[in-house]
Coordinates of all heavy atoms in Angstrom, one line a residue:
Chain A
K65 N 85.9 -57.9 30.0 CA 85.0 -58.7 29.2 C 85.4 -58.7 27.7 O 85.1 -59.6 27.0 CB 83.6 -58.2 29.4 CG 83.0 -58.6 30.7 CD 81.5 -58.3 30.9 CE 81.1 -58.8 32.3 NZ 79.8 -58.3 32.7
L70 N 83.7 -61.7 25.6 CA 82.2 -61.6 25.9 C 81.6 -60.3 25.3 O 80.5 -60.3 25.1 CB 82.0 -61.6 27.4 CG 82.3 -62.9 28.2 CD1 82.3 -62.7 29.7 CD2 81.4 -64.0 27.7
P88 N 84.9 -66.0 23.2 CA 85.5 -66.8 24.4 C 86.3 -67.9 23.8 O 86.0 -68.5 22.8 CB 84.2 -67.3 25.1 CG 83.2 -66.3 24.7 CD 83.4 -65.9 23.3
F94 N 87.1 -67.1 33.4 CA 86.6 -65.9 34.0 C 86.2 -66.2 35.5 O 85.5 -67.2 35.7 CB 85.4 -65.4 33.2 CG 85.2 -63.9 33.3 CD1 85.6 -63.1 32.2 CD2 84.7 -63.3 34.4 CE1 85.4 -61.7 32.3 CE2 84.5 -61.9 34.5 CZ 84.9 -61.1 33.4
F96 N 83.8 -64.4 38.3 CA 82.9 -63.3 38.2 C 82.7 -62.6 39.6 O 82.8 -63.2 40.6 CB 81.5 -63.8 37.8 CG 81.5 -64.3 36.4 CD1 81.9 -65.5 36.0 CD2 81.1 -63.4 35.4 CE1 81.9 -66.0 34.7 CE2 81.1 -63.8 34.0 CZ 81.5 -65.1 33.7
D98 N 80.0 -61.4 40.9 CA 78.8 -61.9 41.6 C 78.8 -63.5 41.7 O 77.8 -64.1 41.8 CB 77.5 -61.3 41.0 CG 77.3 -61.8 39.6 OD1 78.3 -62.5 39.1 OD2 76.3 -61.5 39.0
A100 N 78.3 -65.9 39.9 CA 77.6 -66.6 38.8 C 77.6 -68.1 38.9 O 77.9 -68.8 38.0 CB 78.2 -66.1 37.5
L101 N 77.3 -68.6 40.2 CA 77.1 -70.0 40.4 C 75.7 -70.4 40.0 O 74.8 -69.6 40.3 CB 77.5 -70.4 41.8 CG 78.8 -70.0 42.3 CD1 79.0 -70.4 43.7 CD2 79.9 -70.6 41.4
P103 N 72.5 -72.0 41.0 CA 72.0 -72.4 42.3 C 71.3 -73.8 42.4 O 71.2 -74.3 43.5 CB 70.9 -71.3 42.6 CG 70.6 -70.7 41.3 CD 71.8 -70.9 40.4
W104 N 71.0 -74.3 41.3 CA 70.4 -75.7 41.3 C 71.4 -76.7 41.2 O 71.1 -77.9 41.2 CB 69.4 -75.8 40.2 CG 70.0 -75.5 38.8 CD1 70.6 -76.4 38.0 CD2 70.0 -74.2 38.1 NE1 71.1 -75.8 36.9 CE2 70.7 -74.5 36.9 CE3 69.5 -73.0 38.4 CZ2 70.9 -73.4 36.0 CZ3 69.8 -71.9 37.5 CH2 70.4 -72.2 36.4
E116 N 82.3 -79.9 31.6 CA 81.1 -80.4 31.0 C 80.9 -79.8 29.6 O 80.6 -80.5 28.7 CB 79.9 -80.2 31.9 CG 78.7 -81.0 31.6 CD 77.5 -80.7 32.5 OE1 77.7 -80.2 33.6 OE2 76.4 -80.9 32.1
M117 N 81.0 -78.5 29.6 CA 80.8 -77.8 28.3 C 81.8 -78.2 27.3 O 81.6 -78.1 26.1 CB 80.8 -76.3 28.5 CG 79.6 -75.8 29.3 SD 78.0 -76.2 28.6 CE 77.4 -77.4 29.9
R118 N 83.0 -78.5 27.7 CA 84.0 -79.0 26.8 C 83.9 -80.4 26.4 O 84.8 -81.0 25.7 CB 85.4 -78.7 27.5 CG 86.0 -77.4 27.2 CD 87.0 -76.9 28.2 NE 86.5 -75.6 28.7 CZ 87.3 -74.5 28.7 NH1 88.5 -74.6 28.5 NH2 86.8 -73.4 29.1
Y145 N 74.9 -77.1 48.1 CA 74.4 -76.2 47.1 C 74.9 -74.8 47.4 O 75.2 -74.5 48.6 CB 72.9 -76.2 47.1 CG 72.4 -77.5 46.4 CD1 72.1 -78.6 47.2 CD2 72.2 -77.5 45.1 CE1 71.7 -79.8 46.6 CE2 71.8 -78.7 44.4 CZ 71.5 -79.8 45.2 OH 71.1 -80.9 44.6
P146 N 75.1 -73.9 46.4 CA 75.6 -72.6 46.7 C 74.9 -71.8 47.8 O 75.6 -71.2 48.6 CB 75.4 -71.9 45.4 CG 75.4 -72.9 44.3 CD 74.8 -74.2 45.0
H147 N 73.6 -72.0 48.0 CA 72.9 -71.2 49.0 C 73.3 -71.7 50.4 O 73.1 -71.0 51.4 CB 71.4 -71.2 48.9 CG 70.8 -72.6 49.1 ND1 70.6 -73.1 50.3 CD2 70.3 -73.5 48.3 CE1 70.0 -74.3 50.3 NE2 69.9 -74.5 49.0
G151 N 79.6 -66.2 51.4 CA 80.1 -65.5 50.2 C 81.5 -65.9 49.8 O 81.8 -66.2 48.7
R154 N 81.6 -69.3 48.3 CA 81.1 -69.3 46.9 C 82.1 -68.8 45.9 O 82.2 -69.3 44.8 CB 79.9 -68.4 46.8 CG 78.6 -69.0 47.4 CD 77.5 -68.1 47.3 NE 76.7 -68.2 48.5 CZ 75.8 -67.2 48.8 NH1 75.6 -66.2 48.1 NH2 75.1 -67.4 50.0
R161 N 86.1 -73.4 39.6 CA 85.6 -73.6 38.3 C 86.5 -73.1 37.2 O 86.7 -73.7 36.2 CB 84.2 -72.9 38.2 CG 83.5 -73.1 36.9 CD 82.2 -72.4 36.9 NE 82.2 -71.0 37.2 CZ 81.1 -70.3 37.5 NH1 79.9 -70.8 37.6 NH2 81.3 -69.0 37.9
A178 N 82.9 -58.9 47.2 CA 81.7 -59.3 47.8 C 81.9 -60.2 49.1 O 81.0 -60.8 49.6 CB 80.7 -60.0 46.9
Chain B
S146 N 74.2 -62.6 34.0 CA 75.5 -63.1 34.4 C 75.6 -64.6 34.3 O 76.6 -65.2 34.0 CB 75.8 -62.7 35.9 OG 75.1 -63.4 36.7
F147 N 74.4 -65.3 34.4 CA 74.4 -66.8 34.1 C 74.8 -67.1 32.7 O 75.6 -68.0 32.4 CB 73.0 -67.4 34.5 CG 72.7 -67.5 35.9 CD1 73.6 -67.1 36.9 CD2 71.5 -68.0 36.3 CE1 73.4 -67.3 38.2 CE2 71.2 -68.2 37.7 CZ 72.1 -67.8 38.6
E149 N 76.3 -65.1 30.6 CA 77.7 -64.7 30.3 C 78.6 -65.8 30.8 O 79.6 -66.1 30.2 CB 77.9 -63.4 31.1 CG 78.8 -62.4 30.3 CD 78.6 -61.1 30.8 OE1 78.5 -60.8 32.0 OE2 78.4 -60.2 29.9
M150 N 78.3 -66.3 32.0 CA 79.2 -67.4 32.6 C 79.2 -68.6 31.6 O 80.3 -69.1 31.3 CB 78.6 -67.8 33.9 CG 79.5 -68.8 34.7 SD 79.3 -70.5 34.2 CE 77.6 -70.9 34.7
R152 N 78.7 -68.6 28.4 CA 79.4 -68.3 27.1 C 80.9 -68.3 27.4 O 81.7 -68.8 26.6 CB 79.0 -66.9 26.6 CG 77.7 -66.9 25.9 CD 77.6 -65.8 24.9 NE 77.4 -64.5 25.6 CZ 78.1 -63.4 25.3 NH1 79.0 -63.5 24.3 NH2 77.9 -62.3 26.0
S153 N 81.3 -67.8 28.6 CA 82.8 -67.7 28.9 C 83.4 -69.1 29.1 O 84.5 -69.3 28.9 CB 83.1 -66.8 30.0 OG 82.9 -67.4 31.2
F154 N 82.5 -70.1 29.5 CA 83.0 -71.4 29.7 C 82.7 -72.3 28.4 O 82.6 -73.5 28.5 CB 82.5 -72.0 31.0 CG 83.3 -71.5 32.2 CD1 82.7 -70.5 32.9 CD2 84.5 -72.0 32.5 CE1 83.4 -70.0 34.0 CE2 85.2 -71.5 33.6 CZ 84.7 -70.5 34.4
L155 N 82.4 -71.6 27.3 CA 82.3 -72.2 26.0 C 81.1 -73.1 25.8 O 81.1 -74.1 25.1 CB 83.6 -73.1 25.7 CG 84.9 -72.4 25.8 CD1 86.0 -73.3 25.5 CD2 85.0 -71.2 24.9
A156 N 80.0 -72.7 26.5 CA 78.8 -73.5 26.3 C 78.2 -73.1 25.0 O 78.2 -72.0 24.5 CB 77.7 -73.1 27.4
S160 N 73.3 -75.7 24.8 CA 73.7 -75.9 26.2 C 73.2 -74.8 27.1 O 72.8 -75.0 28.2 CB 75.2 -76.1 26.4 OG 75.6 -77.2 25.7
R164 N 71.0 -76.0 29.9 CA 71.7 -76.1 31.2 C 71.5 -74.9 32.0 O 71.8 -74.9 33.2 CB 73.2 -76.4 31.0 CG 73.4 -77.7 30.2 CD 72.8 -78.9 31.0 NE 72.8 -80.1 30.1 CZ 73.9 -80.8 30.0 NH1 75.0 -80.6 30.7 NH2 73.8 -81.9 29.3
I165 N 71.2 -73.8 31.4 CA 71.1 -72.5 32.2 C 69.7 -71.9 32.1 O 69.1 -71.7 33.2 CB 72.2 -71.5 31.7 CG1 73.6 -72.1 32.0 CG2 72.0 -70.2 32.3 CD1 74.8 -71.3 31.5
P168 N 66.7 -74.4 33.5 CA 66.7 -74.6 35.0 C 66.5 -73.3 35.8 O 65.8 -73.2 36.8 CB 68.1 -75.1 35.3 CG 68.6 -75.7 34.0 CD 67.9 -74.9 32.9
A169 N 67.1 -72.2 35.3 CA 66.9 -70.9 36.0 C 65.5 -70.4 35.9 O 64.9 -69.8 36.9 CB 67.8 -69.8 35.3
K244 N 66.6 -79.4 42.9 CA 66.8 -79.4 44.3 C 67.2 -78.0 44.9 O 66.6 -77.5 45.8 CB 67.7 -80.5 44.8 CG 67.2 -81.4 45.7 CD 68.1 -82.5 46.0 CE 68.1 -83.0 47.4 NZ 69.3 -83.8 47.7
G245 N 68.3 -77.5 44.3 CA 69.0 -76.3 44.9 C 68.1 -75.1 44.7 O 68.4 -74.0 45.3
R248 N 65.6 -72.9 47.8 CA 65.9 -71.7 48.5 C 66.8 -70.8 47.7 O 67.7 -71.3 46.9 CB 66.6 -72.0 49.8 CG 65.7 -71.8 51.0 CD 66.4 -72.1 52.2 NE 66.7 -73.6 52.2 CZ 67.6 -74.1 53.1 NH1 68.2 -73.3 54.0 NH2 67.9 -75.3 53.1
D249 N 66.7 -69.6 47.8 CA 67.6 -68.7 47.0 C 68.8 -68.5 47.8 O 69.0 -69.0 48.9 CB 66.9 -67.4 46.7 CG 67.3 -66.8 45.4 OD1 68.4 -67.1 44.9 OD2 66.5 -66.1 44.8
Y250 N 69.8 -67.8 47.3 CA 71.0 -67.5 48.0 C 70.7 -66.9 49.4 O 69.9 -66.0 49.5 CB 71.8 -66.5 47.3 CG 72.5 -67.1 46.1 CD1 72.3 -66.6 44.8 CD2 73.5 -68.1 46.2 CE1 72.9 -67.1 43.7 CE2 74.1 -68.6 45.1 CZ 73.8 -68.1 43.9 OH 74.5 -68.6 42.8
V251 N 71.3 -67.3 50.4 CA 71.3 -66.6 51.7 C 72.2 -65.4 51.5 O 73.1 -65.4 50.7 CB 71.8 -67.4 52.9 CG1 70.8 -68.6 53.2 CG2 73.2 -68.0 52.6
N253 N 75.2 -62.7 52.3 CA 76.5 -62.9 52.9 C 76.4 -62.5 54.4 O 77.2 -62.8 55.2 CB 77.5 -61.9 52.3 CG 77.6 -62.3 50.8 OD1 77.5 -63.4 50.4 ND2 77.8 -61.3 50.0

Side-chain angles (χ1 to χ4, degrees):
Chain A
K65 286 189 176 164
L70 293 169
F94 209 104
F96 293 85
D98 64 354
L101 301 180
W104 57 86
E116 190 182 341
M117 293 303 111
R118 270 156 232 233
Y145 287 90
H147 69 77
R154 282 181 221 162
R161 179 177 58 193
Chain B
S146 74
F147 285 0
E149 216 158 46
M150 188 281 289
R152 285 202 289 134
S153 81
F154 284 98
L155 306 180
S160 296
R164 300 301 167 85
I165 293 175
K244 238 175 142 191
R248 249 178 301 166
D249 216 332
Y250 286 117
V251 292
N253 301 324

